[in-house]
Amino acid sequence: MTFGVTQPDFPEGCAVVFGGSGGLGRASAGLIAERGANVVVAYRSRRAEAESLVAEVQKLGRQAIAVACDVTDRAAVEAVFQHAVDTYQRVHTVVSAGGLVFGTDLLSQFKEDDFRGVIETDVIGFFNIAQVGAPLLRAGGGGSFVALVTSATSRTVPCDALSATPKAAVVMMVRQLAVEEAAHGIRANAVGPGVINAGMVLPMMETPTRALLEGATDVTPLKRWGTAAEVAEAVAFLASSKASYITGQVLMVDGGLAA
C-alpha cells in the first residue's frame, strides 16, 4: 500500500520564478529545481546572482535560464512568459517572490515615491504576472501560482504596515485566482514569511531598524529568525502536486508571530 500523493512533484515544462535572484526567490527556485522542475529565473537587476543560480540548477541536472524583467512593465512580463514557452513548451508553476527594499520611516515621514514603488512592484507587478500567466497555465492543462507576501510584523518594524497594505491586496488577488481558475486546474496560494535572515531584511541590518529587527525574536514564539530554506520549503510544497487539494490559502512561515 502507498500512502500520500504518488505523482511527481512537477510535470514536464517549467516553473517561472519572478524575483529569483533575491534571497527567498533564489532559495525557492533552487528547491523547486531540486524537486524536479526546469526553472526560468526572472530578475530585475541582479544579473550575476541570477546567472549563478542558473549554474547551480544545472548542476542538479535540471535546465534553467535567466531573463531580465521589471514586473511593473507588462510587456517585460509577457516577454518572460513567451521565452519560457518557447524554451520549455509549458509553464506549470508561477512564483512571485520579488520586492523592494524600502525605508523605515514612520508614516508621516515615509517618502511618497518609496510607497508608490512598493505599490507598483507588489500590486501592479503581481497583477501583471497573474493576468499574463493564467492563460498559459490554462493552455498547459493547469498549474500553480505561489506569491510571497509580508507577514503582519508591524509590532516589530514601524514601516511594515506600509508594506503589508499592498501585500494584503496581493492576497485578495491570490484568493480570487483560486476561485476563478479552479475549473481550469489552476491553484493559487501565498506564503507569508516572518522575519527571515535573507532577502530584504539583510540591507535593513545596515539601518537604524537593526535594533528592531534583532528584537523580533522577543515577540516571535519560536524565539528566532527564520531561514530562506524554511520559506522555500513552503513555496515548493504549495507549488507541487503534494498540495493538489490546497488553494486560496496563506501559509504563514513566521515562527508563530502572527498567532
Side-chain angles (χ1 to χ4, degrees), residues 1-13:
M1 177 181 291
T2 299
F3 298 95
V5 176
T6 57
Q7 64 257 44
D9 281 11
F10 299 101
E12 290 301 313

Side-chain angles (χ1 to χ4, degrees), residues 103-186:
T104 58
D105 295 327
L106 300 176
L107 176 60
S108 60
Q109 301 168 332
F110 205 81
K111 296 178 181 178
E112 180 183 347
D113 287 346
D114 290 344
F115 185 57
R116 194 178 298 278
V118 173
I119 294 289
E120 291 178 352
T121 300
D122 290 353
V123 181
I124 302 301
F126 183 74
F127 177 79
N128 288 336
I129 291 168
Q131 279 210 325
V132 178
L136 294 180
L137 292 185
R138 287 184 213 148
S144 176
F145 281 95
V146 182
L148 271 72
V149 298
T150 300
S151 302
T153 58
S154 56
R155 290 175 295 174
T156 308
V157 184
C159 68
D160 194 65
L162 296 175
S163 175
T165 299
K167 296 291 187 182
V170 173
V171 169
M172 291 177 64
M173 281 191 277
V174 165
R175 288 174 171 158
Q176 191 68 21
L177 274 175
V179 173
E180 294 178 352
E181 301 296 335
H184 300 286
I186 297 172

